[in-house]
Amino acid sequence: MTQRKPAGVGFETWIERQIREAQDRGEFDDLPGAGKPLAGLHEPHDELWWVKEKLRREEGTALPPTLLLRKEAADAREAAGRARTEAEVRSILADINAKIEEAIRKPMSGPPLNLMPFDVEHVVARWRAAR
C-alpha cells in the first residue's frame, strides 16, 4: 500500500519521487509490451477505442447472456441440419440442451430466455427425412 503524502510536500513532487524510487527498484522492468510501439498510433483518433477493444477481447458481442444462448441455439439447430451423421446431430443437440437446461436452473441476466431444450428424437426424425 502506498504511503500518505507528507504535509508540506507538493503532490507533483511526491508522485515523481514515488515513480523514481519504483524505477530504482526495477518495478518497471520487463513490463509486457516494453520497447514496442503502442497499438493503434497510426489509426485516426477514436473516443470509443476502449469499447471496441473490450468487444474484441470478448469475441465481438455485447449481447446479454440470454440472447447469446438463443443465438447459440439457433446456430445449433442449423448445424444439426447440416450434420453428416445421426450421432453428430445427437451430439450437437446434447451440448446445446445441456446449456439450455443449465440456464433454466440458474437464470441468466437479460431478457427472458423463452427457450426449451430441443426434442432430440423429433429433430433426428426431421434430419432423417431430409436425407
Side-chain angles (χ1 to χ4, degrees):
M1 185 168 162
T2 60
Q3 341 155 338
R4 293 182 60 101
K5 179 184 86 58
V9 177
F11 275 107
E12 189 170 341
T13 305
W14 180 62
I15 292 170
E16 287 174 357
R17 189 184 85 231
Q18 287 184 321
I19 292 171
R20 183 180 38 76
E21 289 173 356
Q23 285 174 327
D24 293 343
R25 289 189 303 267
E27 293 183 20
F28 297 118
D29 296 346
D30 300 321
L31 291 174
K36 298 177 184 167
L38 295 174
L41 284 180
H42 63 282
E43 298 173 6
H45 175 69
D46 184 3
E47 293 178 5
L48 297 176
W49 67 268
W50 63 274
V51 174
K52 293 175 183 172
E53 179 63 23
K54 182 169 176 56
L55 287 173
R56 186 191 60 74
R57 279 194 320 268
E58 295 181 3
E59 298 178 7
T61 184
L63 293 175
T66 53
L67 295 181
L68 283 174
L69 186 54
R70 285 189 207 174
K71 182 178 181 322
E72 196 173 337
D75 292 345
R77 182 183 300 120
E78 289 178 20
R82 292 188 311 268
R84 294 182 181 177
T85 66
E86 182 176 322
E88 189 178 348
V89 173
R90 290 182 184 278
S91 174
I92 291 167
L93 295 177
D95 290 345
I96 193 64
N97 279 348
K99 291 179 182 181
I100 293 170
E101 290 165 2
E102 179 71 14
I104 291 171
R105 277 194 306 274
K106 298 178 184 174
M108 305 165 95
S109 63
L113 184 60
N114 296 335
L115 197 58
M116 294 298 293
F118 289 97
D119 178 349
V120 176
E121 296 308 319
H122 177 74
V123 176
V124 168
R126 289 179 52 192
W127 177 84
R128 282 187 197 135
R131 299 280 172 247

